[in-house]
Amino acid sequence: MSDDAIIDIRSLSLAYERGGQRNVILSNLDLSVARGEFLVIVGESGVGKSTLLRVLIGLARPSSGKVRLATRPGCRTPMALVFQDSRLLPWRKVVDNVAFGLEGSGLSRAERRARAEEMLALVGLAGLGSRWPHQLSGGQRQRVSLARALAVEPDVLLMDEPFSALDSFTREGLQDELQRVQAKTGKTVIFVTHDIDEAVTLADRVVVLAGSPGRVAADIRIDVARPRQRRDAALSEAAAHLRSELSRRSAEL
């Protein structure tokens, strides 16, 4: 494991039995993620993108292989996961949703609330903590979900197609917001998406999963300066290259 890697995956495979049949989802997957890196994973549906996130956070157990983490000593929550839907608790106000993961942390109620308010401000929702989830737009609810994940101070932020259900205008706004938050916090981010334009807008590096079972088919660095302008010709070129690689590698596997 290299000194700058926060995650190192070696020979990871995952299979499960269903109806007497063995289904292999991931096979012999190798992947390292550098500390502070924004890594985006793309690939067709069913190739194992979300499964890989579930393995990383401990919701699924690999059949073989190893995942090594180099998180901070004593880190209470090494990883936090943001889902496609916000999964907010409708009976709790926004600030209490954000503070939910801090319960049992040893922080006082006032300290939990202060951190939740801080995270809401970080994602652009200062002053909205007293609202109920149903009073927010879809984009605002996803910001609350991001604030909740950040509140537990994870070393790695996992994001499973978090903007896919939103309209394009809201989605672009949240992409910009996420880049700003990641630049400010220095968090390592692993982000799953189907959207090639989203991938090149956000990523330092894009990993393509392809095949059945899924494996790493391409590993492409996006060498475009930040802050990024969405209509930049360099991003368009990167997206065209990524689409070509995705099509070619998928056909080969």
Side-chain angles (χ1 to χ4, degrees):
M1 188 169 183
S2 64
D3 291 342
D4 67 338
I6 193 169
I7 299 173
D8 191 58
I9 302 168
R10 288 291 168 253
S11 302
L12 186 144
S13 296
L14 185 143
Y16 64 89
E17 300 285 341
R18 176 178 292 174
Q21 297 289 325
R22 180 177 170 83
N23 298 282
V24 184
I25 308 302
L26 298 169
S27 177
N28 200 34
L29 189 146
D30 294 331
L31 180 65
S32 287
V33 184
R35 192 177 305 276
E37 184 174 31
F38 201 127
L39 178 77
V40 175
I41 300 174
V42 301
E44 297 177 351
S45 296
V47 80
K49 303 183 302 297
S50 296
T51 299
L52 178 56
L53 296 191
R54 290 172 61 83
V55 169
L56 291 176
I57 205 166
L59 296 176
R61 178 176 293 181
S63 305
S64 61
K66 293 183 177 180
V67 178
R68 296 179 61 192
L69 304 178
T71 52
R72 291 167 294 152
C75 180
R76 179 174 174 268
T77 311
M79 298 187 185
L81 177 58
V82 179
F83 295 93
Q84 181 175 342
D85 56 340
S86 61
R87 304 196 180 190
L88 302 182
L89 302 175
W91 58 88
R92 299 180 68 137
K93 290 188 176 181
V94 165
V95 69
D96 295 320
N97 265 282
V98 176
F100 179 72
L102 298 172
E103 294 177 4
S105 65
L107 296 176
S108 68
R109 180 178 178 83
E111 288 170 328
R112 296 196 303 269
R113 185 180 182 89
R115 184 177 298 175
E117 294 283 8
E118 180 185 355
M119 293 303 103
L120 285 170
L122 180 63
V123 300
L125 294 180
L128 299 187
S130 62
R131 294 191 182 181
W132 298 97
H134 74 269
Q135 296 176 306
L136 303 180
S137 68
Q140 287 173 328
R141 287 194 292 271
Q142 282 302 87
R143 288 173 188 249
V144 175
S145 182
L146 175 58
R148 180 177 58 189
L150 292 169
V152 298
E153 298 185 317
D155 280 355
V156 181
L157 187 63
L158 306 176
M159 307 191 75
D160 192 3
E161 301 191 65
F163 308 148
S164 61
L166 303 173
D167 65 82
S168 59
F169 180 79
T170 303
R171 184 172 184 157
E172 289 187 357
L174 283 172
Q175 290 167 3
D176 293 341
E177 190 74 15
L178 178 58
Q179 291 183 84
R180 184 188 63 78
V181 169
Q182 196 266 345
K184 185 170 183 177
T185 63
K187 294 290 183 191
T188 305
V189 179
I190 303 178
F191 187 105
V192 164
T193 184
H194 283 95
D195 190 304
I196 299 301
D197 293 318
E198 181 170 69
V200 298
T201 297
L202 296 175
D204 296 317
R205 184 163 60 105
V206 177
V207 166
V208 177
L209 292 189
S212 181
R215 66 204 74 174
V216 174
D219 190 328
I220 301 167
R221 183 156 295 281
I222 308 299
D223 289 319
V224 179
R226 296 183 188 272
R228 291 177 178 169
Q229 303 299 319
R230 192 165 276 100
R231 309 299 180 243
D232 191 324
L235 281 183
S236 298
E237 291 174 9
H241 175 60
L242 182 54
R243 286 189 176 91
S244 176
E245 282 294 303
L246 184 60
S247 177
R248 181 172 69 85
R249 298 303 180 100
S250 297
E252 290 176 352
L253 292 174

